[in-house]
Amino acid sequence: MLSATSIANAQEEAAAPAQPQIDVEQVLVDLDALIHATRATTRCALYDEQIDYLTPLEQVGASVRLNELTSILEGRLDDLADRVAMMGNEATALPCGDDALVPYMTFGQQIGRDVIDIAMRAWREIEIANCSYFADDDFMAAVDRAQEAADTAIIEGAENRQDYIEQQADVWVGIFSSSCANLYFDPVTTLPGQIALALPTP
């Protein structure tokens, strides 16, 4: 079950490169919450109106973070695949509209919004031209939309959240700046790239 502490600290858990010291148990709690939130949204959002599921863009943001958490745990837990499968089974066992899903949705929404805001803030400064030879026209069109949306995006929340978003966005700006000459760098698969692709088209 998702703890109140996890919900309260959701903004602390937005997408970011892995930190040197990892609280494996906390990562597992967060991973479980995001599995519940994303899978319930996939199963239920189209026809159940009893609770608020993730929006399509929040779903992408939460999924980006879920994948990052999984990567953090790979190599640290030999039974990770079994644990993830069990979490998925538990998530599927909860019926659509069940009140037990609400805290998972709250967590997933907060994480999704953090990831979205990090991407929007990063796209204000990312110089994509140097990376463009890696990407196709569809991605570059998505980047144009993302940069346009970033110009008017408002980062809401307390000052500490805004500072956090700023810091994490700066990390991604730095990654793009330092990696575009690397033939193995794929901007499409990055956090900013995934959010750009997920933005609705006009």
Side-chain angles (χ1 to χ4, degrees), residues 11 17 34 38 56 74 114 120 174 197:
Q11 66 189 41
L34 291 175
T38 54
E74 287 176 349
D114 282 348
M120 289 294 95
L197 286 169

Side-chain angles (χ1 to χ4, degrees), residues 41 44 78 90-91 123 151 197:
T41 295
C44 308
D78 293 336
E90 291 172 352
W123 279 121
D151 287 339
L197 286 169

Side-chain angles (χ1 to χ4, degrees), residues 3-191:
S3 68
T5 301
S6 293
I7 297 174
N9 291 336
Q11 66 189 41
E12 300 292 327
E13 299 298 331
Q19 299 301 315
Q21 293 186 352
I22 300 299
D23 183 342
V24 172
E25 291 305 315
Q26 185 60 54
V27 173
L28 284 169
V29 170
D30 294 347
L31 180 65
D32 180 58
L34 291 175
I35 287 174
H36 276 74
T38 54
R39 295 203 182 185
T41 295
T42 299
R43 286 190 299 115
C44 308
L46 289 178
Y47 65 88
D48 180 64
E49 299 181 353
Q50 297 182 70
I51 63 176
D52 291 330
Y53 296 96
L54 307 185
T55 67
L57 195 55
E58 288 170 349
Q59 176 87 331
V60 172
S63 296
V64 167
R65 181 55 176 161
L66 189 159
N67 291 335
E68 289 183 347
L69 294 180
T70 302
S71 295
I72 288 171
L73 293 173
E74 287 176 349
R76 289 182 168 88
L77 295 175
D78 293 336
D79 62 343
L80 178 60
D82 292 337
R83 289 179 184 241
V84 169
M86 183 178 298
M87 292 173 187
N89 291 337
E90 291 172 352
T92 302
L94 287 174
C96 297
D98 195 310
D99 286 344
L101 289 170
V102 172
Y104 297 116
M105 292 304 149
T106 299
F107 184 80
Q109 287 160 355
Q110 291 177 355
I111 291 296
R113 290 167 188 165
D114 282 348
V115 172
I116 294 164
D117 283 351
I118 290 168
M120 289 294 95
R121 177 61 185 81
W123 279 121
R124 293 178 188 172
E125 297 184 31
I126 289 174
E127 296 289 343
I128 191 64
N130 294 332
C131 305
S132 61
Y133 56 88
F134 290 95
D136 59 23
D137 291 342
D138 288 341
F139 179 71
M140 295 308 296
V143 168
D144 288 341
R145 292 193 299 272
Q147 291 180 326
E148 183 177 350
D151 287 339
T152 57
I154 299 174
I155 308 302
E156 299 179 339
E159 183 176 353
N160 65 334
R161 179 184 187 270
Q162 296 190 39
D163 289 345
Y164 177 77
I165 298 298
E166 184 91 10
Q167 291 167 4
Q168 297 306 311
D170 286 346
V171 170
W172 281 107
V173 172
I175 289 173
F176 271 72
S177 177
S178 63
S179 301
C180 279
N182 185 339
L183 293 176
Y184 295 99
F185 178 66
D186 183 2
V188 176
T189 61
T190 63
L191 180 154

